[in-house]
Amino acid sequence: MELFFPVLLEEFVSFAFLEKVRRKFHFEKEQTAEVRKVAEEMLPLLQKEAFWVRASYMWEKCPYQAENAEAAHETTYEKVAMSLGKGIDFLQESYSEKGLLLQSYIVEVLAGELLMRGYDAYNRSIQAHTDRHVARYYFPGSEDAFPLEMLPELLRDLTQKITCNASFCMLPKKSVVFVSELTQDEAVHCQGICVGCGNAACPNRTDDGLPIRKEMTDLPLTYGYSRIFGSRT
């Protein structure tokens, strides 16, 4: 287990990051100070509790196995969890209990954006420290081959700091779990789950709203967002 990506935490209260969040979520300029205040309250909790963890994953029934043995040898999988920690949940709940709904919402969007940046940081870490790079992500519940019911097993093998209940809701709430496909094939790169990914062959990519890979017609590009913000649809 490692602390959450330090470079992201260093930038968390920067003007550039907070201004991007303000514009993206349509906060008024007059609310800039409030956004910063909430971020500054979140930062010590993140520095203390936020983490990520990875482990190898044997997925013998992967429906997208490479067609030839040489390519299959170049492909491996690992399970990954990222969490911002329980302190962020408590902070958000305290805002809500006090009727500070704006501040509670600011926690939500700041946490979501930080986790989204975590995907890219994970990609960079894999490329920097291994001989492979990320080809794509698989999220629990995103497709028949990777059902939501596998979530408890993934968590059990990865960390005891994240749990899930019978409805597969994770605690801490600001947590994500996925399986990444790692490859040595330089023709296949996945830059993350964001719309800006330039890899036209990536199975996570959509073109005019339609997934390129036919097997994934029920998986919208923003599935990673839905996992971050707690939606199961």
Side-chain angles (χ1 to χ4, degrees):
M1 184 176 70
E2 301 184 45
L3 296 176
F4 200 76
F5 308 98
V7 65
L8 299 188
L9 297 185
E10 290 173 5
E11 299 172 353
F12 187 68
V13 295
S14 68
F15 173 80
F17 176 71
L18 296 180
E19 180 64 10
K20 180 179 179 181
V21 171
R22 185 191 71 79
R23 290 175 176 272
K24 181 175 181 178
F25 292 93
H26 308 289
F27 290 107
E28 300 294 336
K29 283 190 175 182
E30 293 76 12
Q31 297 173 313
T32 299
E34 194 59 54
V35 173
R36 172 172 291 279
K37 181 179 178 181
V38 172
E40 291 174 346
E41 291 192 40
M42 293 173 65
L43 184 58
L45 302 174
L46 294 169
Q47 292 172 328
K48 181 180 179 180
E49 299 182 352
F51 71 93
W52 71 286
V53 60
R54 54 187 280 251
S56 61
Y57 182 65
M58 299 299 295
W59 192 5
E60 298 177 355
K61 297 181 179 180
C62 175
Y64 309 123
Q65 287 286 4
E67 295 180 357
N68 61 77
E70 181 179 355
H73 182 71
E74 296 174 349
T75 302
T76 57
Y77 299 89
E78 66 177 30
K79 48 198 170 188
V80 184
M82 296 189 291
S83 177
L84 302 187
K86 60 184 179 181
I88 298 300
D89 289 351
F90 291 150
L91 177 63
Q92 187 175 34
E93 290 168 5
S94 70
Y95 282 142
S96 297
E97 291 171 356
K98 296 173 184 176
L100 302 175
L101 300 185
L102 173 61
Q103 289 81 353
S104 178
Y105 176 65
I106 292 174
V107 171
E108 189 74 21
V109 298
L110 287 174
E113 286 300 293
L114 183 59
L115 281 173
M116 284 299 300
R117 297 188 70 191
Y119 290 110
D120 180 64
Y122 165 75
N123 282 13
R124 293 175 183 273
S125 178
I126 291 298
Q127 190 153 358
H129 299 105
T130 75
D131 63 349
R132 302 171 190 274
H133 53 270
V134 178
R136 64 160 295 183
Y137 296 100
Y138 298 89
F139 291 92
S142 62
E143 53 192 286
D144 291 341
F146 197 43
L148 192 57
E149 287 75 12
M150 295 180 68
L151 179 58
E153 178 184 349
L154 292 175
L155 290 174
R156 183 171 58 251
D157 294 339
L158 277 169
T159 178
Q160 296 181 349
K161 289 192 173 184
I162 304 176
T163 61
C164 71
N165 59 24
S167 299
F168 305 107
C169 295
M170 288 185 288
L171 291 174
K173 296 178 181 178
K174 304 301 183 288
S175 303
V176 293
V177 177
F178 57 90
V179 168
S180 62
E181 180 180 319
L182 307 182
T183 183
Q184 295 176 321
D185 186 352
E186 290 300 326
V188 182
H189 280 266
C190 183
Q191 302 300 324
I193 61 173
C194 62
V195 178
C197 178
N199 178 15
C202 178
N204 288 342
R205 178 183 175 88
T206 60
D207 186 9
D208 296 328
L210 297 175
I212 289 178
R213 175 171 256 163
K214 293 181 180 180
E215 296 95 327
M216 297 182 64
T217 53
D218 292 330
L219 175 59
L221 184 66
T222 53
Y223 188 84
Y225 275 106
S226 72
R227 299 314 305 159
I228 287 173
F229 289 107
S231 171
R232 295 182 56 195
T233 59

